[in-house]
Amino acid sequence: MKSKLKRNIVLLPLLALTIPQHVFAADPVNGATDIKIAEVAATGQILDVDMGTNRILYFDTASKQLAIKNIATGQVTVNPSVYPTNASTPSGELTRNGAVYLKQGSVEEWTNKGVQQLGTGEECYAIAGDYVTYCSSYGDSEKLVRLHLGTGQETTVKWFDPYVDYFGDVDVRSDGSVVYSYRQGYASSIYNYNVLYLFQDGKTTLLDGDEGLYNYQGYFNDEGVAYVKRDGFDDGHEEEDELLFRETTSLGTLNWLGYGAKFTDIYGHNTDIVYTRTDDNGISQVHLSGYRLSGPISNDPAGAVSLGAISDDGDVAYQVKGASRFSISHVWNGQRVSYSVGLSGAKPFWQNGVWYSIKGNSVYQHVPPQELTVPVWLKGSVLRASEVDSTSALLSWDAAVDANGVTGYRIYKQGQLLAELPAGATSYPLTGLNLGERARYKVEAGNVAGNWSTDGPSVEFVTSPRDTVNPTWPAGSKATSGGTTTVIALISWTPATDNVGVTGYRILDGTTVVAEVDGNTRTKGITGLNSNRTYTFKVEARDAAGNWSTDGPSVTVTTLPPQ
């Protein structure tokens, strides 16, 4: 047994403090609606969906080929590579320019330029954002490689000897950080167990080199990495697994999440970690550990609960053995309430504030019961103050979304209700203000059930004499293209200047505004374009008074042709 002075471990807050009451609706199916929004060929098995770009990646079991379908246009692009007759359904993910997938142990990239093999090794494969990892052989050695799909830049993460070193698993996150485990020198009396490393900002850090570490199985996000190991200490749990969470921003902190005979289906979002724990009797229970009502979510006396996904706001999708539908555990009024949606065996996922699921060749959108919905403000939503002068200003905002529809907005000034507006409103004029008055304004959205959001965007400003000076672009300002697909163009630009301050930019195609962002953003993906077409986009800047530049830089791009 190892020493009791084993490591710096702290319990996550809330884990042992309170277990929330879990309420099941009397008839949870009633009021939950499942809408089929897309389907592929009858012989297709869906691998990945991106609702932002309206694309579906699927494998046709009849032709043994991968294909991408555009949901909006119905256009299908087929991968020229054919799988062997006895091939099983592969795994794959959509990328900005196509897809990356596993084919019989090889990692391949598919774009409009064709198909290329990136590397080998299923245990080395991971993908997030523009980054993908794989293994490559060089003589008698191999290396773990990280590739940026946009630039084509390869980075060697780890060299290893395939005869004595064995990779356990690899994970990558959207900023390019990599976590990996492997058995180092299996014949060595010193390194005969797995080690867990973090490759971040070009540096490699040992996360765990203790005995009992299995192949990495867990979740890796911006906050840290959750993983499982066998407890080896004389503490009454020495034959049980334990789930740990290592923060990657402060590597000295190791959070203990719990013991169990087995941990599976580990997911997370920010500081929320959700997982399935099975005890020695085979009874499974879904647990959530984090800032949103930590504790058990669901258990099944029959001993089978599988976890599906977790949303940005802490909702959890799970499946109970024998149930005809999967369930969503939702935080509502300080409690967790479960309602049933979807089909048994479906794969749920969360995108842009909405629950979806994949079942066979179809994609479903799930609309929860009206009484359990609150309007959602999507990431990046802002409340803007423009046309500010000594007595007035104009507030404008990005629309909120709700599964059952937004019915109105409320404007608050210094926490007090100022105005209530209809569903279609996205702006509100402020009048009768005083010169030099400073105030904070906030917007919230409501729905048909009478529920209102509480996390709407806000803005604070000071009234002043009207600014009439337009933003300007310094000499040498330019707009550039970061690449295109058949339907998307990525545009970047250098910053404009203003006598008070730039508060936003807009991108124009001729005289049509195709995108608008805040003043801190200098890159934007333009979606919904036509394939094989040339566009000239111009960028203009605005200030808080609503003045717009007129001499912004332009860039010409051509979308890729369909395959």
Side-chain angles (χ1 to χ4, degrees):
M1 294 297 175
K2 286 172 287 197
S3 168
K4 289 291 286 186
L5 299 174
K6 50 187 182 179
R7 59 211 152 196
N8 175 24
I9 293 183
V10 296
L11 294 177
L12 278 183
L14 297 180
L15 184 64
L17 298 181
T18 58
I19 295 179
Q21 181 181 1
H22 197 87
V23 180
F24 290 83
D27 186 6
V29 175
N30 207 3
T33 305
D34 307 315
I35 305 171
K36 182 188 288 190
I37 58 173
E39 63 181 5
V40 298
T43 53
Q45 290 290 321
I46 296 176
L47 307 181
D48 193 22
V49 179
D50 185 345
M51 297 304 300
T53 58
N54 287 316
R55 294 180 299 156
I56 300 176
L57 173 67
Y58 68 95
F59 180 67
D60 193 315
T61 58
S63 67
K64 296 295 180 179
Q65 291 174 285
L66 290 168
I68 295 176
K69 179 176 181 178
N70 186 298
I71 300 173
T73 65
Q75 178 183 2
V76 175
T77 305
V78 179
N79 187 308
S81 180
V82 179
Y83 283 65
T85 304
N86 61 349
S88 58
T89 300
S91 60
E93 288 82 17
L94 289 162
T95 64
R96 183 183 302 172
N97 296 312
V100 172
Y101 54 90
L102 282 172
K103 182 181 179 182
Q104 295 181 295
S106 295
V107 181
E108 296 185 352
E109 181 186 17
W110 171 30
T111 67
N112 69 306
K113 298 178 181 179
V115 175
Q116 66 168 330
Q117 180 177 331
L118 299 178
T120 60
E122 182 173 350
E123 70 278 5
C124 302
Y125 169 68
I127 183 171
D130 286 331
Y131 289 97
V132 61
T133 62
Y134 49 85
C135 286
S136 293
S137 298
Y138 291 85
D140 292 334
S141 298
E142 291 190 22
K143 65 178 181 177
L144 174 63
V145 176
R146 182 194 68 190
L147 172 71
H148 189 281
L149 295 170
T151 64
Q153 181 180 1
E154 284 190 343
T155 302
T156 298
V157 176
K158 172 69 179 178
W159 282 98
F160 63 98
D161 186 339
Y163 296 102
V164 295
D165 298 333
Y166 292 86
F167 263 94
D169 205 356
V170 178
D171 206 353
V172 64
R173 65 187 183 195
S174 58
D175 68 352
S177 299
V178 179
V179 64
Y180 60 93
S181 67
Y182 75 103
R183 185 175 294 274
Q184 184 179 29
Y186 74 94
S188 169
S189 60
I190 299 176
Y191 297 115
N192 59 354
Y193 50 85
N194 286 320
V195 288
L196 185 67
Y197 282 104
L198 169 71
F199 180 81
Q200 183 174 257
D201 299 327
K203 300 178 181 179
T204 299
T205 303
L206 176 67
L207 294 181
D208 199 325
D210 230 350
E211 293 183 38
L213 176 66
Y214 294 139
N215 293 341
Y216 162 77
Q217 50 175 314
Y219 181 79
F220 183 36
N221 68 0
D222 293 344
E223 302 295 327
V225 54
Y227 60 97
V228 178
K229 67 184 295 183
R230 175 58 57 91
D231 183 86
F233 305 102
D234 189 12
D235 55 7
H237 297 280
E238 48 269 26
E239 296 304 320
E240 291 186 288
D241 285 353
E242 57 182 347
L243 181 62
L244 303 171
F245 183 77
R246 171 79 73 176
E247 295 179 8
T248 54
T249 53
S250 54
L251 294 174
T253 303
L254 183 65
N255 300 300
W256 174 82
L257 302 183
Y259 289 110
K262 184 179 181 182
F263 290 95
T264 56
D265 304 324
I266 303 168
Y267 296 90
H269 178 75
N270 293 335
T271 55
D272 286 332
I273 302 296
V274 65
Y275 53 92
T276 303
R277 174 187 176 276
T278 304
D279 63 19
D280 293 330
N281 298 317
I283 304 300
S284 298
Q285 202 171 44
V286 175
H287 280 257
L288 177 70
S289 181
Y291 71 96
R292 291 180 183 270
L293 300 178
S294 297
I297 289 176
S298 174
N299 67 298
D300 176 28
V305 175
S306 60
L307 182 61
I310 182 171
S311 73
D312 293 352
D313 55 3
D315 284 6
V316 177
Y318 62 93
Q319 176 82 47
V320 177
K321 180 180 179 181
S324 60
R325 292 152 69 87
F326 67 82
S327 297
I328 301 291
S329 174
H330 176 65
V331 178
W332 187 251
N333 291 334
Q335 301 182 52
R336 279 198 166 270
V337 180
S338 288
Y339 60 90
S340 295
V341 296
L343 304 170
S344 178
K347 178 184 177 181
F349 65 97
W350 170 271
Q351 283 185 8
N352 299 326
V354 179
W355 276 106
Y356 301 92
S357 71
I358 298 169
K359 177 72 172 180
N361 73 326
S362 300
V363 180
Y364 295 86
Q365 178 180 338
H366 305 296
V367 181
Q370 292 183 0
E371 64 272 18
L372 297 182
T373 64
V374 172
V376 174
W377 295 93
L378 298 182
K379 183 178 180 180
S381 294
V382 294
L383 177 61
R384 295 172 288 272
S386 60
E387 302 179 20
V388 178
D389 62 21
S390 57
T391 61
S392 65
L394 178 67
L395 297 178
S396 60
W397 56 90
D398 305 304
V401 297
D402 185 82
N404 294 288
V406 172
T407 58
Y409 294 94
R410 287 175 177 171
I411 305 296
Y412 293 87
K413 178 180 180 180
Q414 298 293 96
Q416 300 298 313
L417 181 63
L418 177 66
E420 192 158 341
L421 307 171
T426 55
S427 65
Y428 179 72
L430 298 171
T431 59
L433 306 180
N434 298 313
L435 177 62
E437 178 182 351
R438 177 184 295 273
R440 175 167 292 278
Y441 296 85
K442 190 177 186 184
V443 60
E444 299 292 359
N447 63 15
V448 68
N451 301 322
W452 289 86
S453 66
T454 58
D455 59 347
S458 63
V459 65
E460 183 176 1
F461 65 91
V462 181
T463 56
S464 60
R466 182 66 181 271
D467 173 16
T468 60
V469 179
N470 296 341
T472 57
W473 294 86
S477 296
K478 61 182 180 179
T480 57
S481 170
T484 63
T485 69
T486 56
V487 295
I488 302 172
L490 183 65
I491 307 299
S492 300
W493 57 92
T494 55
T497 61
D498 184 71
N499 64 318
V500 176
V502 173
T503 60
Y505 296 93
R506 64 184 177 192
I507 303 171
L508 300 98
D509 175 16
T511 58
T512 302
V513 178
V514 295
E516 190 171 342
V517 297
D518 62 42
N520 296 318
T521 301
R522 309 240 214 288
T523 300
K524 178 64 178 177
I526 312 301
T527 61
L529 306 179
N530 295 319
S531 61
N532 199 26
R533 177 176 166 183
T534 298
Y535 293 84
T536 297
F537 295 112
K538 188 177 184 182
V539 184
E540 298 293 1
R542 76 159 185 272
D543 60 21
N547 301 310
W548 286 93
S549 67
T550 58
D551 59 344
S554 299
V555 60
T556 299
V557 302
T558 301
T559 52
L560 301 178
Q563 280 191 309

